[in-house]
Amino acid sequence: MATYNKRGYKAPKPKDVLDNENDLEEVTNSGESTTEEVFNTLDATASRTEEWVAKNQKLILGIVGAIALVTIGYLAYNKFVVEPKAEAGLNDIYQAQAFFNEALSNTQNPDSLFNLALKGGEGKLGLLNLADQYSGSAAGNLANYYAGMSYMHLKDFKNAEKFLLAYKSDDMVTNALALGALGDAYSELNKVDAAIEYYKKAADANENDFTTPKFLMKAAQLAYLNNKKAEANAIFKTIKEKYETSREAQNIDALIEMTE
């Protein structure tokens, strides 16, 4: 019976088969060799690491212990020093706040009450001592705010600047008021650029239809009075565009025309 080769089929020569087998063996042997080298390297590295850990065990334990002691010390400091100090500060500042609030409502002799708030009275610390004694705490920060505002009412603008700059808060209301008061202080000190800057900061700190146009108007008026017409014009236009229902926007067209 006749046998036919398929078209295109070519039987391999014995040498070709041998070469292919030799190549496969080389690849296999090479792969085994490479893998073995990798594992040997990893084993060697692991051994060296274990040796280093064993040799430096005391050092490692010392570092871990030091970290633990620092963490425990920090927690203890907060628990037994910071928290009680903060609570004591808030209790101590109560009387100074009372003097301050009384001064605001007293139209006859507010200055004496502002001075009591600053320097203390009725056996209680004043805002100046509170700001120093409780520095870094919520009470000390609040004392900075009230001290700065007290000095503003007493027209001591340098001290007002000092304490208001020290006040830092996330409270939008008091933060905006402090920034606005800084604008007033700089205006009184004839630091025009700084005053305009802080009026703008106050306007942005607590954006609303009441205080924002008020601070913007102060910035614009101060700019106009100091020959900064372009800046004043831009601020007047902002009041018209964003706060058209505010009291400051009532005659805003005339102010815009005046600064064109």
Side-chain angles (χ1 to χ4, degrees):
M1 179 173 157
T3 303
Y4 298 96
N5 290 331
K6 293 181 181 178
R7 182 175 296 177
Y9 174 80
K10 183 178 179 182
K13 295 180 181 179
K15 185 178 184 305
D16 292 338
V17 174
L18 183 59
D19 288 342
N20 288 339
E21 290 177 352
N22 289 336
D23 290 344
L24 181 61
E25 184 178 356
E26 288 178 6
V27 170
T28 303
N29 290 337
S30 175
E32 289 176 352
S33 176
T34 302
T35 303
E36 185 178 355
E37 289 175 4
V38 170
F39 279 111
N40 287 338
T41 302
L42 291 174
D43 288 342
T45 302
S47 297
R48 285 196 296 271
T49 302
E50 290 172 1
E51 289 175 6
W52 185 88
V53 170
K55 187 183 295 184
N56 296 279
Q57 188 172 10
K58 289 184 178 180
L59 173 64
I60 295 169
L61 291 174
I63 292 171
V64 172
I67 293 171
L69 284 174
V70 169
T71 303
I72 293 169
Y74 174 78
L75 294 173
Y77 178 78
N78 276 289
K79 180 69 176 176
F80 299 108
V81 178
V82 175
E83 291 179 11
K85 182 180 178 181
E87 186 176 352
L90 291 174
N91 288 332
D92 285 347
I93 203 174
Y94 174 79
Q95 184 58 58
Q97 286 176 303
F99 284 135
F100 179 87
N101 291 329
E102 189 178 348
L104 291 179
S105 60
N106 188 313
T107 57
Q108 306 234 340
N109 189 20
D111 287 3
S112 62
L113 290 167
F114 282 124
N115 278 309
L116 279 173
L118 287 166
K119 298 173 183 177
E122 298 187 8
K124 298 293 183 180
L125 293 174
L127 295 167
L128 301 181
N129 285 327
L130 289 165
D132 179 59
Q133 183 169 323
Y134 295 105
S135 176
S137 71
N141 191 43
L142 203 56
N144 286 325
Y145 173 77
Y146 282 110
M149 289 301 196
S150 296
Y151 278 124
M152 281 299 300
H153 286 283
L154 293 170
K155 301 187 186 309
D156 184 344
F157 303 114
K158 289 297 294 181
N159 273 319
E161 176 194 14
K162 172 186 172 183
F163 284 96
L164 289 172
L165 283 175
Y167 177 65
K168 309 293 180 186
S169 176
D170 293 330
D171 181 76
M172 292 191 299
V173 175
T174 57
N175 189 39
L177 293 175
L179 292 169
L182 274 167
D184 291 337
Y186 286 129
S187 179
E188 294 289 343
L189 294 168
N190 202 31
K191 296 181 178 180
V192 175
D193 291 337
I196 293 172
E197 177 189 352
Y198 274 89
Y199 283 141
K200 288 180 177 179
K201 286 182 177 180
D204 292 337
N206 180 26
E207 190 171 350
N208 60 75
D209 292 334
F210 177 68
T211 61
T212 298
K214 175 184 175 182
F215 289 128
L216 288 176
M217 180 59 76
K218 284 189 173 188
Q221 289 175 332
L222 188 60
Y224 175 73
L225 291 173
N226 287 274
N227 297 316
K228 298 175 181 288
K229 282 191 175 183
E231 187 171 7
N233 181 266
I235 299 172
F236 285 140
K237 286 180 177 177
T238 298
I239 294 172
K240 179 180 180 178
E241 292 168 5
K242 293 187 176 182
Y243 308 100
E244 60 181 354
T245 60
S246 67
R247 184 172 65 85
E248 286 75 16
Q250 288 180 2
N251 299 310
I252 203 70
D253 287 331
L255 294 172
I256 292 172
E257 185 178 348
M258 185 173 64
T259 53
E260 290 290 356

